[in-house]
Amino acid sequence: MPLDNEQYVKSLRYKIAYISKDIQDITEQGAKLFIKVSEEKAAEIEAAIFRLVEETSESYIDVPADVIFEHKSGHKFPEYDIYEALLSNQWVVPYENGLVGFGKQFLNLYRYLDQTFVQWAEQHGAVEYVYPDLISIDTLNQYHYIAQFPNHLMFASHLKEDIELIQDFSSEVSAGCDCYNSSYIDKPTYANKLAICPHVYKQYENQAIDPEQPIIVTSAGKCKRFESINMTKVERLLDFTMREIVLVGSYEYVLKLREEFIQLTEDLIRRIDLQANIKTGNDPFFTTEYEPKALLQQKLKLKYELNMLLPYSGKELSVGSFNYHGTYFAEAFNITSTDGSNVHTGCIAFGLERFVYAILSQIGLEQAQSVTEGQNERQFI
């Protein structure tokens, strides 16, 4: 599929993955996509892909990214397969697609980054919370998440509260039945959380805050997003950890702190000497009706992304974002101010596993310890 815009190709690739479970692989080469499917499904999938292209190409408008920071690394990039090295050293342990465990120096670097972000937050007066891994479907609908990103959802449910049915289920499963369906499983009222900040906004729902005492909360937690065959290695996981710093206050307060956290991130990138940039981005809204919202994010610079080079592929991986939400969440959760002024929100978010993975992809396993010790010399572990 020859196309002429790499950003559009990236957006299209993301959506094509959900067309059919019979799509085996999707690869990009510049502004071209190559989609591998089984022969018997080829015509059906091809027709669906071209319908998607027709729907999305008409509404897609290219807005050039505004690059506000760029750093070139002085590291000699590793010449070996980083992912295979992580597996062979058991720094990363693979399970099913999108699920990994990790330890050793990967875990040390993970903790180092997380502690760094916590220190940044605490320096600005943040309070740390731990939130549940589940979120109610009602809360997700309160800010229209499900309508905008239905493809990401991982529902959480349980067997219906019927003792005879539960016993039947146990017997059927013991006999080898594949009966994990709505005959036995109750309608879900919860989903696995997809981000941290909605729990913060729910915490302050229907409250009036003093503009002179804005809210800043930091929290880390497991998030889960189903991304079909887009899940790969440690770049994009089904189950991953986000560290967020959430801001609730005046327009000036939210934008000022967002800028300060961008500056702190730039300093970190320079100190570790990583090849990275920060530029405008947008959320991957799934349905065509929400694509104008993505355009607004780009134009109004509501979202900046921290992108790091993956030397083995030559592609960028987004490892963090700096988001300004305007009054959207405050209105959705009826968060008001004591003086009647508008309440604005924002959040700073880092994907910890992918951040570590991107660092190791650039510096190699041998130098991992030098990052946590703040040293520049090459160290072998």
Side-chain angles (χ1 to χ4, degrees):
M1 297 181 62
L3 301 163
D4 60 3
N5 183 292
E6 288 192 34
Q7 189 60 32
Y8 173 62
V9 167
K10 182 180 178 182
S11 171
L12 190 63
R13 182 201 191 286
Y14 163 76
K15 293 184 178 181
I16 285 175
Y18 296 95
I19 282 179
S20 171
K21 64 181 180 181
D22 293 302
I23 293 177
Q24 299 166 5
D25 190 32
I26 306 174
T27 56
E28 300 168 48
Q29 288 185 14
K32 288 187 178 181
L33 280 179
F34 297 86
I35 299 130
K36 183 179 179 181
V37 300
S38 57
E39 188 173 353
E40 61 271 19
K41 296 284 186 178
E44 176 187 337
I45 293 173
E46 182 181 59
I49 289 171
F50 279 100
R51 282 197 300 272
L52 178 63
V53 169
E54 186 176 355
E55 290 171 6
T56 56
S57 61
E58 292 179 0
S59 60
Y60 182 81
I61 300 174
D62 183 29
V63 179
D66 178 21
V67 180
I68 62 170
F69 169 77
E70 191 166 15
H71 182 75
K72 299 292 186 182
S73 173
H75 289 291
K76 184 179 184 299
F77 297 139
E79 297 179 355
Y80 54 87
D81 188 315
I82 285 293
Y83 184 67
E84 290 302 321
L86 289 170
L87 299 189
S88 63
N89 285 278
Q90 292 197 319
W91 290 18
V92 167
V93 182
Y95 293 94
E96 290 77 12
N97 188 30
L99 300 177
V100 301
F102 51 89
K104 300 186 177 179
Q105 285 296 332
F106 194 102
L107 179 58
N108 289 347
L109 192 47
Y110 170 100
R111 286 173 173 159
Y112 168 78
L113 284 176
D114 192 42
Q115 289 166 4
T116 298
F117 302 143
V118 171
Q119 288 172 2
W120 293 356
E122 289 178 343
Q123 287 167 8
H124 288 80
V127 177
E128 186 166 17
Y129 279 89
V130 175
Y131 295 107
D133 278 356
L134 299 179
I135 188 166
S136 77
I137 289 172
D138 287 344
T139 298
L140 292 174
N141 279 324
Q142 198 168 340
Y143 66 101
H144 308 295
Y145 185 95
I146 293 176
Q148 298 174 88
F149 307 98
N151 51 309
H152 283 162
L153 291 166
M154 295 287 293
F155 293 103
S157 189
H158 50 82
L159 294 177
K160 294 176 180 177
E161 293 157 296
D162 180 324
I163 191 166
E164 291 183 3
L165 182 143
I166 293 171
Q167 289 170 341
D168 288 345
F169 175 82
S170 177
S171 299
E172 292 284 347
V173 169
S174 297
C177 171
D178 182 13
C179 46
Y180 304 95
N181 55 55
S182 58
S183 298
Y184 292 102
I185 298 174
D186 207 359
K187 177 184 174 181
T189 56
Y190 297 96
N192 288 283
K193 75 169 180 279
L194 305 109
I196 307 293
C197 60
H199 277 302
V200 179
Y201 305 136
K202 191 69 176 177
Q203 178 179 351
Y204 292 96
E205 184 176 25
N206 297 325
Q207 295 185 34
I209 68 167
D210 183 350
E212 298 300 318
Q213 296 180 311
I215 294 164
I216 176 168
V217 169
T218 187
S219 181
K222 283 290 191 177
C223 300
K224 295 166 183 64
R225 297 178 189 174
F226 178 72
E227 302 215 39
S228 189
I229 60 170
N230 290 328
M231 296 182 294
T232 176
K233 299 180 180 176
V234 192
E235 296 174 29
R236 193 176 293 275
L237 296 170
L238 172 64
D239 181 294
F240 59 96
T241 314
M242 292 267 278
R243 165 62 66 180
E244 290 193 22
I245 304 168
V246 184
L247 313 170
V248 183
S250 67
Y251 169 81
E252 293 79 11
Y253 170 79
V254 171
L255 288 187
K256 178 177 180 291
L257 259 66
R258 182 175 75 156
E259 180 59 31
E260 290 182 13
F261 286 119
I262 288 174
Q263 293 296 325
L264 286 168
T265 303
E266 292 176 3
D267 293 342
L268 176 68
I269 294 300
R270 290 191 191 96
R271 185 170 60 75
I272 306 178
D273 192 19
L274 300 169
Q275 189 141 326
N277 64 62
I278 298 175
K279 60 186 177 185
T280 50
N282 60 265
D283 291 314
F285 296 98
F286 192 74
T287 52
T288 305
E289 65 182 293
Y290 286 101
E291 286 184 357
K293 199 168 181 179
L295 183 63
L296 275 177
Q297 282 185 318
Q298 285 272 100
K299 281 187 171 181
L300 301 180
K301 302 177 183 179
L302 306 181
K303 183 184 190 73
Y304 286 103
E305 291 185 330
L306 170 63
N307 304 286
M308 289 180 55
L309 176 70
L310 299 178
Y312 60 85
S313 68
K315 296 178 182 177
E316 292 180 347
L317 179 66
S318 174
V319 302
S321 62
F322 310 86
N323 308 279
Y324 167 59
H325 306 136
T327 60
Y328 182 81
F329 284 104
E331 291 172 359
F333 290 91
N334 191 34
I335 305 172
T336 58
S337 66
T338 53
D339 67 359
S341 61
N342 288 330
V343 174
H344 296 248
T345 68
C347 77
I348 317 303
F350 298 101
L352 296 179
E353 293 91 347
R354 59 166 56 184
F355 204 142
V356 174
Y357 183 64
I359 292 174
L360 293 174
S361 296
Q362 291 193 21
I363 69 173
L365 272 62
E366 300 85 358
Q367 292 195 75
Q369 189 171 325
S370 68
V371 175
T372 57
E373 293 180 352
Q375 298 173 358
N376 295 318
E377 65 267 24
R378 189 176 183 83
Q379 295 192 15
F380 293 88
I381 302 164

